[in-house]
Amino acid sequence: MVYFYKFNYLDTLFEIFFSYIPNTKRLSIAFIAISIIGGQYVWSNNPVQTASNIKTVQLYKKGWSMSYPIINLYPQEQLTLEFDDFAYDSKNYQYSIIHCNSNWEESNLMQTEYVDGFMPNAIQDYQYSFNTTFDYIHYTLDFPNRDIKLLLSGNYIIKVFELGNEDNPILVRPFYVSESLVSILPRIKYTSNSNFRASMQEVNFTIEHPNFRINNPRDEIKVVLQQNGRWDNQIDDLKPLFIRHEELDYSYNRENLFDGGNEYRWLDIRSTRFAPEHVEGISFFDPHYHFTLFPDKYLSQKPYFYREDFNGKYYIEVKENRDPMIEADYTYVHFKFPVKAPYVDGHIYVTGGLNDWQLNDANRMEYNFTTRMYELSMLLKQGFYNYQYHFLENNFTKAEVERFEGSFGQTENDYIIYVYYQSVGDNYERLIGVNISNSLKYSMKK
């Protein structure tokens, strides 16, 4: 599971108690103890979880499938959650919403303090797939809704589970609710640090708060920076460099640097009849379709070239049918990347929105000594995808993009700035502002 239990002051007691219990029984006993004592879930800095039978999970602002899962508290907007369940019969899926702090730890709040309504609630909107080689059931949920309304800003997670099995969710996804109480003015540019100017981007910004009082900015304000929705390279430890009247300035020249990376590669599997560019062949091995891609090339060895992309996102579409949500089929996509010899210091991953920017076994490539290529087969729903090859060195959590994709200061990227506030008397972190900016909309000069 993604989450684990935070024991607090009982750590030593559990350690002594478990030392006398066989390993095979410790986990179940731990959860019994948790249910008796009560406590807090920690979802880590990457609160994403998906069961093996759940595919194509999308969470976005209602009406805009390519948006980030960020909504305003006032006036309250809606999010849409969509996912496919590889099953023949519908299940009684329920959902709950949990308020978290900026580190994705469950807040010390009662449910009634952040939700108006009762939980869990049922997901009642579903459809069966039609004329596809894979049978699946497509579920849709719009929230907040008449059953629940959100009362506070901050980080949230939504978890979906079968009725009576809340401790084993089939999916967990994060989202954000903002109060929009401050103005965030970004300045994305080439870094002034000459050593990184060609390959990195500098994200400076100012927080203006003329109508919101902040007494101690260094302690009360926390800022998180994300690039294209990635989790592994986010920056979350910046303090204001200059504090002026009603203004906080974050004009660093090293602490706020991101690898520029490169424009994303693209994959078009909207049609099973016609092979687009980059697809070597489409095969049907009863009962499923297979897309074999041409071996990808090192973009790090080429100069930068602008290609319009979705910054890692994807959308579902099928050319031969009308309703992509239930008529788009699932196909096996075979990625290949030529490397003379396998790496011993880390692993290659295919990353992007197609796997929620995760770095795990499901998108880790394996080396084929016969073909002398790294290879990976992924099951994807028909649509148009962005992806990249990232390298994760052993014992590291931040992936390297430059080795295969290159890294350029002029690359077009989205940057999301989250501003959290918690005073001494507050018992939760408020999300008082969010800014989503694109690097091409700002001057990249000095």
Side-chain angles (χ1 to χ4, degrees):
M1 289 186 176
V2 170
Y3 59 87
F4 60 91
Y5 192 75
K6 187 177 180 181
F7 289 112
N8 296 324
Y9 65 90
L10 294 169
D11 288 354
T12 304
L13 177 61
F14 275 109
E15 184 177 349
I16 296 172
F17 180 62
F18 283 165
S19 65
Y20 295 98
I21 300 172
N23 289 332
T24 56
K25 296 183 179 179
R26 290 181 185 178
L27 184 61
S28 59
I29 293 176
F31 276 98
I32 292 172
I34 290 167
S35 64
I36 295 174
I37 297 170
Q40 181 183 43
Y41 285 112
V42 179
W43 301 87
S44 81
N45 283 326
N46 186 351
V48 175
Q49 178 179 340
T50 312
S52 59
N53 60 303
I54 303 301
K55 306 293 182 183
T56 318
V57 181
Q58 295 180 288
L59 180 59
Y60 53 86
K61 185 182 293 187
K62 185 178 180 179
W64 187 10
S65 64
M66 301 291 284
S67 63
Y68 295 97
I70 304 168
I71 57 174
N72 288 318
L73 183 62
Y74 303 114
Q76 191 153 115
E77 300 171 311
Q78 279 188 303
L79 291 163
T80 297
L81 173 68
E82 296 188 82
F83 63 93
D84 294 336
D85 181 11
F86 275 24
Y88 297 106
D89 298 311
S90 63
K91 299 182 179 68
N92 192 349
Y93 282 134
Q94 310 279 306
Y95 69 95
S96 288
I97 292 173
I98 299 174
H99 190 280
C100 300
N101 63 18
S102 59
N103 293 323
W104 300 103
E105 300 168 344
E106 185 177 350
S107 301
N108 295 317
L109 295 171
M110 298 289 291
Q111 186 183 104
T112 52
E113 294 182 84
Y114 60 85
V115 169
D116 180 10
F118 298 97
M119 294 189 293
N121 290 301
I123 300 178
Q124 299 175 332
D125 187 356
Y126 60 87
Q127 295 175 282
Y128 289 84
S129 61
F130 177 73
N131 199 28
T132 56
T133 62
F134 279 90
D135 293 318
Y136 62 87
I137 302 173
H138 182 76
Y139 291 83
T140 304
L141 170 69
D142 293 333
F143 72 97
N145 48 46
R146 63 183 181 182
D147 295 321
I148 60 165
K149 289 181 172 56
L150 302 179
L151 303 177
L152 303 177
S153 66
N155 287 8
Y156 285 84
I157 63 100
I158 180 170
K159 63 176 183 176
V160 178
F161 48 89
E162 286 195 64
L163 178 64
N165 200 13
E166 188 168 358
D167 289 335
N168 292 290
I170 62 162
L171 69 87
V172 174
R173 286 298 184 276
F175 65 94
Y176 305 83
V177 179
S178 173
E179 292 186 66
S180 302
L181 297 176
V182 299
S183 297
I184 305 168
L185 308 178
R187 300 182 301 279
I188 305 169
K189 64 188 188 73
Y190 289 116
T191 176
S192 54
N193 191 318
S194 59
N195 294 327
F196 307 112
R197 184 174 175 82
S199 62
M200 305 193 80
Q201 293 177 346
E202 184 176 303
V203 184
N204 294 319
F205 57 97
T206 301
I207 301 173
E208 296 182 351
H209 56 100
N211 301 314
F212 187 80
R213 183 174 179 178
I214 302 175
N215 295 317
N216 188 351
R218 295 188 182 277
D219 293 333
E220 295 176 345
I221 295 295
K222 178 178 179 178
V223 172
V224 173
L225 276 66
Q226 280 188 343
Q227 181 191 60
N228 300 329
R230 283 178 59 184
W231 295 96
D232 61 299
N233 67 338
Q234 75 174 26
I235 297 173
D236 58 9
D237 55 358
L238 291 180
K239 299 293 182 181
L241 189 61
F242 301 105
I243 300 174
R244 307 183 183 95
H245 178 63
E246 298 179 344
E247 182 180 282
L248 309 178
D249 195 330
Y250 294 76
S251 298
Y252 288 90
N253 61 10
R254 182 180 292 270
E255 291 85 350
N256 57 347
L257 294 182
F258 285 87
D259 290 318
N262 206 339
E263 310 302 342
Y264 279 77
R265 304 169 193 258
W266 60 269
L267 168 64
D268 186 353
I269 56 173
R270 293 175 292 174
S271 173
T272 56
R273 299 179 182 177
F274 306 100
E277 187 179 357
H278 307 310
V279 175
E280 185 176 13
I282 303 173
S283 304
F284 181 77
F285 298 108
D286 194 14
H288 305 305
Y289 286 97
H290 293 253
F291 281 71
T292 301
L293 308 186
F294 284 107
D296 275 309
K297 299 178 180 179
Y298 284 82
L299 297 181
S300 57
Q301 300 172 356
K302 297 183 178 182
Y304 172 78
F305 178 77
Y306 173 74
R307 305 183 305 275
E308 188 173 357
D309 65 3
F310 301 131
N311 290 328
K313 301 184 186 72
Y314 68 92
Y315 65 89
I316 300 303
E317 186 176 85
V318 59
K319 289 186 175 181
E320 287 84 14
N321 295 300
R322 295 182 179 181
D323 189 347
M325 294 302 104
I326 60 172
E327 294 185 274
D329 209 344
Y330 277 84
T331 70
Y332 288 99
V333 179
H334 304 282
F335 297 87
K336 296 182 290 185
F337 198 86
V339 177
K340 292 181 180 179
Y343 292 99
V344 297
D345 58 336
H347 299 281
I348 303 176
Y349 295 83
V350 177
T351 66
L354 78 174
N355 70 314
D356 296 293
W357 282 269
Q358 300 300 290
L359 303 170
N360 53 36
D361 292 344
N363 64 313
R364 186 176 71 187
M365 308 190 79
E366 299 294 338
Y367 192 75
N368 186 326
F369 285 89
T370 302
T371 62
R372 300 182 72 179
M373 294 185 186
Y374 273 92
E375 299 176 352
L376 173 69
S377 295
M378 296 187 72
L379 186 62
L380 299 175
K381 195 172 186 177
Q382 284 184 274
F384 193 96
Y385 291 81
N386 279 182
Y387 69 98
Q388 285 185 337
Y389 294 100
H390 289 186
F391 184 80
L392 183 63
E393 192 173 347
N394 296 334
N395 302 317
F396 280 73
T397 57
K398 177 183 175 181
E400 174 192 340
V401 64
E402 185 172 6
R403 185 175 306 204
F404 308 118
E405 304 294 344
S407 188
F408 305 94
Q410 60 265 55
T411 302
E412 178 261 328
N413 288 302
D414 284 339
Y415 288 97
I416 313 173
I417 304 172
Y418 303 92
V419 179
Y420 300 90
Y421 170 81
Q422 184 174 12
S423 68
V424 176
D426 292 333
N427 60 346
Y428 75 100
E429 282 184 284
R430 301 165 65 180
L431 182 57
I432 59 173
V434 178
N435 179 275
I436 305 173
S437 298
N438 188 276
S439 59
L440 288 188
K441 294 182 180 180
Y442 295 83
S443 171
M444 301 297 285
K445 299 178 182 179
K446 294 182 180 179

